[in-house]
Amino acid sequence: YFPAPELLLNIWFAALPTTPAKGKKRGRPPKGEGKEKTEAEESAKKAKRTLNRFNGMSVEEVMARKLPDVITHNLDMLIIGINPGLLSAYKGRHYPNPGNHFWKCLYLSGLTEEQLNHMHDQTLPERYGIGFTNMVERTTPGSKDLSNKEIREGGHQLLEKLQKYRPLIAVFNGKCIYETFCKEIFGVKAKNLEFGLQPYKVPETETVCYLMPSSSPRCAQFPRAQDKVHFFIKLKELRDQMKGVVRTQEIQETNYTFDLTVAKEDAKRLAIKEEQHDPGYEETCAHGSHQNSLDQVSDNRWTMQPFADQIPDIRCSNSN
């Protein structure tokens, strides 16, 4: 039995490939179309993460916020940042980024008796004589978003603030901040700046200037907390010296060792999160090469060199 020719013709037409729908092209998508789609998806994901990060607030809404100073008269030291980052403005606290080394170094240096965090910033003036301010008030995702004009004007606003409140020590948290302040206020273009006590006092005051590396984890020259603790220790020594505090003879300098394995186990036990970089946090120090101030020893530990070997003498004569 053979089917009729008409039936065979119908079967043949049914087996032919269907014509693509109008407006759609067969074959591979045009070059770049897939990339555009991927970029759009990434942008959508990034926007969603931002909304989650700031509890539904947009970046523009967070940038409209300002971070209040924590300041009063006759502080021992005033910590000066460049400007508020997004997380600081959102929380209304100073140095809230968990990856920032400020609060950790403050405790390890002995400037505070216990480990504190950004939620304690309002208590520091009364408890420890420490206050907070910024050179520029405007909130931005990063310091690179500030104009040179803003930073220069911020230097003069900072001068007025220092002359009004007269802290014992003006502590510049980052080399870039002091470079601008030095040029605008002292008329000196700083070259080869050394960290520590600076040779100039704030005009019309007895306030001295102290420069330390940025506490941001993105500071290229000193990327780890233990690289910066020394400068906090020297800051404490400077404060004590200026206030006439005499060290107890019973206290002796000790070389401490650090067991990384034990520290990791403690971190897991205490559920301490690993420090993360915050892309929205201000990058106040982005130059210089990393200088390792730690000596490796054979039993997988590190130990600090004596202060005299690893830290230059920051004391200098002041002709003012």
Side-chain angles (χ1 to χ4, degrees):
Y1 171 74
F2 295 97
E6 295 82 0
L7 182 60
L8 289 173
L9 191 62
N10 290 338
I11 294 172
W12 183 75
F13 275 114
L16 288 176
T18 57
T19 304
K22 190 175 181 180
K24 293 185 178 180
K25 296 182 179 180
R26 298 178 60 186
R28 294 182 178 180
K31 189 175 181 181
E33 183 177 311
K35 183 179 179 181
E36 292 176 359
K37 185 177 179 181
T38 303
E39 290 178 352
E41 290 175 350
E42 287 298 323
S43 298
K45 290 179 181 179
K46 185 176 180 180
K48 185 176 181 181
R49 287 196 299 269
T50 302
L51 289 174
N52 293 339
R53 183 185 181 198
F54 301 123
N55 197 26
M57 293 181 65
S58 66
V59 171
E60 290 73 19
E61 290 174 317
V62 177
M63 287 177 61
R65 292 189 170 191
K66 290 187 177 180
L67 178 64
D69 289 340
V70 178
I71 192 170
T72 186
H73 289 85
N74 302 316
L75 290 166
D76 288 344
M77 57 189 72
L78 182 63
I79 310 298
I80 304 165
I82 186 165
N83 79 304
L86 295 177
L87 194 60
S88 296
Y90 171 69
K91 291 182 176 290
R93 300 288 182 174
H94 292 264
Y95 304 104
N97 186 341
N100 195 283
H101 302 138
F102 177 79
W103 295 102
K104 182 183 294 184
C105 290
L106 204 67
Y107 170 62
L108 293 176
S109 65
L111 282 167
T112 60
E113 298 171 352
E114 57 182 323
Q115 178 65 69
L116 305 176
N117 59 39
H118 61 279
M119 296 303 294
H120 301 96
D121 61 355
Q122 299 284 342
T123 69
L124 260 64
E126 183 177 351
R127 295 176 64 184
Y128 299 106
I130 300 174
F132 300 93
T133 190
N134 287 288
M135 181 175 285
V136 180
E137 293 184 353
R138 187 168 74 92
T139 300
T140 62
S143 61
K144 64 181 180 298
D145 300 301
L146 296 172
S147 67
N148 290 332
K149 181 181 178 182
E150 280 182 296
I151 299 175
R152 290 196 303 270
E153 291 177 350
H156 292 278
Q157 293 170 1
L158 175 62
L159 173 62
E160 294 177 0
K161 201 174 297 184
L162 291 171
Q163 290 176 334
K164 177 181 179 180
Y165 291 100
R166 298 177 181 270
L168 194 65
I169 310 171
V171 183
F172 291 82
N173 188 1
K175 186 176 289 188
C176 303
I177 310 171
Y178 184 71
E179 284 177 343
T180 302
F181 186 81
C182 195
K183 183 177 180 181
E184 290 296 315
I185 305 306
F186 305 129
V188 178
K189 188 174 182 181
K191 293 183 179 180
N192 302 320
L193 278 174
E194 295 288 342
F195 294 109
L197 181 63
Q198 300 302 305
Y200 305 107
K201 288 184 179 180
V202 175
E204 301 177 15
T205 74
E206 291 300 314
T207 300
V208 300
C209 298
Y210 183 92
L211 173 61
M212 65 182 183
S214 169
S215 59
S216 169
R218 302 174 71 185
C219 176
Q221 190 174 0
F222 300 95
R224 304 175 303 173
Q226 57 262 41
D227 300 327
K228 304 168 186 176
V229 175
H230 320 303
F231 302 99
F232 282 75
I233 292 173
K234 288 297 181 181
L235 174 60
K236 179 177 181 293
E237 292 178 357
L238 175 62
R239 180 204 64 183
D240 292 346
Q241 179 183 350
M242 294 184 69
K243 294 184 72 174
V245 177
V246 180
R247 290 179 57 186
T248 305
Q249 296 298 324
E250 298 174 356
I251 299 177
Q252 297 180 354
E253 291 187 2
T254 306
N255 288 331
Y256 293 94
T257 59
F258 176 79
D259 193 317
L260 183 59
T261 304
V262 174
K264 286 182 177 180
E265 292 174 355
D266 288 342
K268 291 180 181 179
R269 178 172 55 83
L270 298 174
I272 300 175
K273 293 184 179 180
E274 183 178 350
E275 294 176 353
Q276 300 292 332
H277 288 194
D278 181 0
Y281 200 80
E282 63 265 25
E283 182 178 0
T284 58
C285 181
H287 56 80
S289 59
H290 171 57
Q291 297 176 352
N292 193 351
S293 61
L294 304 176
D295 278 343
Q296 298 291 337
V297 292
S298 57
D299 60 349
N300 197 28
R301 301 182 179 194
W302 62 259
T303 179
M304 294 188 294
Q305 301 175 20
F307 284 139
D309 295 338
Q310 62 178 330
I311 305 176
D313 189 358
I314 63 174
R315 294 172 298 177
C316 58
S317 59
N318 194 322
S319 58
N320 291 352

